[in-house]
Amino acid sequence: MNPFIRLATEDDAPLILDIYAPIVRETPISFEYEVPGEAEMRGRIRSKLEHYPWLVMENDGELMGYAYAGRWRDRAAYDWSVETTVYVSVKARRGGVGRTLYNALFEALRAQGFVLAVAGITLPNAGSVGLHEAVGFRAMGVAHNAGYKFGRWHDIGFWQLQLQDPPDDPKPTMK
């Protein structure tokens, strides 16, 4: 079977956690201290899918990675901007999974009417910076000492990607 991308469902929560849990437990990439439970992850998927895409790449029943978007800021003027996230299984890294997922995510976001994507990356993280820049993100700036995990402070770099030209009279984004 060939890998394919589809919308996530709540039933993907255990497989998503298989990818995400080691990142929480072993790295500062995620600022979560505790791995969320399956019920929590199901809720996160359900909540995102109410307005944003959450995509997974699957191959022979195994999840290779996932990417999703969510609200970037709370004020109404930001309704056309999203924050994006991508995670790739350790076994599938450096094989184009992240790039493929992100490109599919951007296509969906453009179709919904979103204009700007923002990504936050715990620094240093050359792999993530490389991926984001390879798909078109450009550096915005760094928030120094933004999060504390594993006994030290970590910087967060922010990158942005213009998904499409901003319309003069934007319509509400589609669900």
Side-chain angles (χ1 to χ4, degrees):
M1 175 182 241
N2 290 326
F4 63 96
I5 295 175
R6 61 173 173 77
L7 275 175
T9 71
E10 290 182 47
D11 291 338
D12 292 315
L15 297 175
I16 287 170
L17 281 168
D18 286 345
I19 294 170
Y20 186 60
I23 291 166
V24 172
R25 282 193 307 265
E26 302 164 14
T27 78
I29 292 169
S30 167
F31 277 1
E32 288 198 74
Y33 283 8
E34 302 294 328
V35 176
E38 185 178 323
E40 168 66 19
M41 188 57 74
R42 285 176 177 274
R44 291 180 188 187
I45 295 166
R46 180 176 50 253
S47 174
K48 291 281 187 230
L49 287 175
E50 288 176 6
H51 191 73
Y52 305 98
W54 186 316
L55 305 176
V56 297
M57 181 181 278
E58 184 178 333
N59 189 20
D60 289 332
E62 186 173 337
L63 225 57
M64 300 171 69
Y66 62 94
Y68 63 86
R71 189 164 190 81
W72 183 49
R73 304 279 308 250
D74 287 333
R75 303 287 188 265
Y78 294 108
D79 283 353
W80 296 269
S81 298
V82 292
E83 184 171 3
T84 60
T85 302
V86 63
Y87 288 109
V88 177
S89 167
V90 172
K91 294 183 265 184
R93 288 189 188 145
R94 305 210 54 86
V97 172
R99 184 184 302 233
T100 303
L101 277 164
Y102 252 167
N103 286 330
L105 182 69
F106 301 153
E107 186 177 320
L109 291 169
R110 286 182 191 104
Q112 286 181 268
F114 290 103
V115 172
L116 180 74
V118 176
I121 303 171
T122 304
L123 300 174
N125 187 336
S128 187
V129 169
L131 168 63
H132 284 82
E133 290 182 352
V135 296
F137 279 88
R138 299 293 170 247
M140 293 171 45
V142 176
H144 298 281
N145 302 310
Y148 185 82
K149 188 172 178 183
F150 298 140
R152 63 180 281 250
W153 290 96
H154 301 275
D155 298 343
I156 298 292
F158 290 96
W159 275 255
Q160 70 179 39
L161 173 68
Q162 196 74 37
L163 294 166
Q164 57 189 324
D165 290 335
D168 291 334
D169 184 23
K171 307 291 183 248
T173 57
M174 295 185 297
K175 294 181 181 185

